[in-house]
Amino acid sequence: MLDKPKHGAAAGIRPERADWTIDQGWEKYTAQEHAVWRTLFERQTRLLPGRACDAFVAGMQQLPIDASQIPDFRRLSEVLMRHTGWQIVAVPGLVPDEVFFDHLANRRFPAGSFIRKADELDYLEEPDVFHDVFGHVPMLMNPVIADFVQAYGVGGLRAQQLGVLPQLARVYWYTVEFGLVQQKDGLRIYGSGIASSYTESVFALEDASPNRIGFELERVMRTNYRIDDFQEVYFVLDRLEDLLALADIDFAPVYQRVGALPELQPGDVLATDRVLHRGSGQYHRRASGGT
Ligand code: HBI
Ligand code: FE
């Protein structure tokens, strides 16, 4: 997802404001840009019934998000503010970690304002408005996720000081971005990286290749992730509420235990894992040139 950034901090862009926010410039979107939104919205909306979790569907229904145009962050923020006290602020792309955390700690979600090109619908070098708004905002209508993402912002600032940011970032990656949840009626998506991806929505739930393993905090903190392809492992919550226990955890002792254990690679499976699906591994073996 992240090679050759053109938009954010890694592209060498200097911010006008210290918090990296910009005006969304909603009035300046072109008809072509709104059309890209429509294409993405429509194909994703066909795919998600029976795949996205109930909280995602409920959040989407209550928000001013539809196929007709790229949403206006001011209108999203009004509705979000009423429900969970969150706002959406526009940023040019990836922002530095401490800027990102400071926004989250204050219940402001930084969303990329640009949209991908019509000929690169499935290629994302950086989070754009479709990933950030379609993928993340519906879940921020859910009180559990709303509190958890804020806690991640607070924890991120602290983890940076302790030098353990990679461990914490894995928790965000395997929950907010690529999390699955067990519902009464089956396995569902709540992670925004999956929910905003046409191909990964099917791969994550239905493909035989990836491992699907019960979420366990310290296991996840030890596990590297890939940013350039489908995940090799998805961690599954029994219920979204299980994230609440993490919101006020004292991470210092956890970091100490995790730091003493070896790092795990995405495809690893441990004897202690609660394995829901043991993946064939076929997809990534092929992708890396094997068979
Ligand atoms: N900036 N806009 C934006 N969006 C992100 O998801 C993001 C970011 N900066 C840093 C970052 N994510 C992550 O690397 C942190 O969660 C560690
Ligand atoms: Fe994201």
Side-chain angles (χ1 to χ4, degrees):
M1 184 161 123
L2 301 175
D3 67 33
K4 286 189 263 146
K6 282 203 277 282
H7 301 279
I13 287 173
R14 299 284 308 274
E16 256 170 56
R17 303 179 195 146
D19 70 358
W20 282 75
T21 59
I22 56 176
D23 291 325
Q24 185 189 3
W26 188 82
E27 295 76 11
K28 298 201 191 82
Y29 289 122
T30 64
Q32 287 86 340
E33 287 173 323
H34 286 303
V36 171
W37 172 274
R38 171 185 287 278
T39 303
L40 291 165
F41 182 96
E42 284 178 344
R43 67 175 197 172
Q44 209 59 20
T45 301
R46 276 196 303 276
L47 207 56
L48 288 186
R51 291 197 176 91
C53 71
D54 292 344
F56 185 94
V57 174
M60 189 66 88
Q61 273 168 357
Q62 296 178 81
L63 284 161
I65 301 182
D66 61 38
S68 67
Q69 52 191 3
I70 297 170
D72 184 329
F73 294 178
R74 293 166 292 198
R75 297 193 52 218
L76 293 176
S77 297
E78 268 173 45
V79 177
L80 266 180
M81 182 57 84
R82 276 207 307 278
H83 282 83
T84 54
W86 275 79
Q87 287 172 268
I88 307 302
V89 294
V91 291
L94 286 173
V95 300
D97 291 341
E98 61 277 11
V99 174
F100 186 62
F101 296 141
D102 187 64
H103 282 302
L104 300 184
N106 291 286
R107 288 172 108 88
R108 291 186 303 264
F109 193 81
S113 55
F114 73 96
I115 192 155
R116 67 198 73 175
K117 298 281 175 271
D119 56 0
E120 293 187 339
L121 286 188
D122 296 309
Y123 174 75
L124 255 205
E125 57 195 22
E126 281 192 273
D128 72 343
V129 65
F130 187 75
H131 167 79
D132 279 334
V133 169
F134 188 98
H136 283 284
V137 177
M139 291 307 293
L140 290 173
M141 291 283 280
N142 178 271
V144 171
I145 297 292
D147 285 357
F148 179 66
V149 176
Q150 177 185 19
Y152 176 71
V154 175
L157 296 169
R158 215 169 112 66
Q160 257 187 334
Q161 289 155 7
L162 296 170
V164 289
L165 188 52
Q167 285 76 8
L168 185 71
R170 291 168 188 159
V171 180
Y172 187 83
W173 188 264
Y174 284 119
T175 58
V176 172
E177 293 291 350
F178 290 96
L180 297 177
V181 61
Q182 193 68 60
Q183 264 181 206
K184 281 195 288 295
D185 45 355
L187 201 57
R188 295 289 185 272
I189 299 161
Y190 73 94
S192 59
I194 310 174
S196 62
S197 164
Y198 189 62
T199 46
E200 194 151 2
S201 291
V202 174
F203 181 83
L205 288 176
E206 288 146 62
D207 204 281
S209 188
N211 294 316
R212 300 183 185 88
I213 296 176
F215 182 91
E216 202 271 309
L217 177 67
E218 295 182 23
R219 161 66 158 98
V220 168
M221 281 188 157
R222 292 170 59 194
T223 309
N224 278 316
Y225 54 84
R226 41 199 320 154
I227 61 170
D228 57 338
D229 204 343
F230 295 151
Q231 301 304 304
E232 280 183 73
V233 58
Y234 299 93
F235 290 99
V236 181
L237 291 173
D238 288 326
R239 56 194 78 77
L240 287 181
E241 286 70 24
D242 289 353
L243 291 176
L244 276 184
L246 307 186
D248 48 25
I249 198 171
D250 178 9
F251 278 109
V254 179
Y255 291 137
Q256 216 150 46
R257 281 196 298 276
V258 167
L261 295 167
E263 263 185 10
L264 301 170
Q265 295 315 312
D268 291 350
V269 176
L270 306 180
T272 47
D273 283 339
R274 190 159 54 90
V275 178
L276 307 177
H277 170 80
R278 177 67 198 244
S280 69
Q282 190 174 51
Y283 173 84
H284 290 93
R285 256 199 317 279
R286 279 204 187 134
S288 63
T291 48

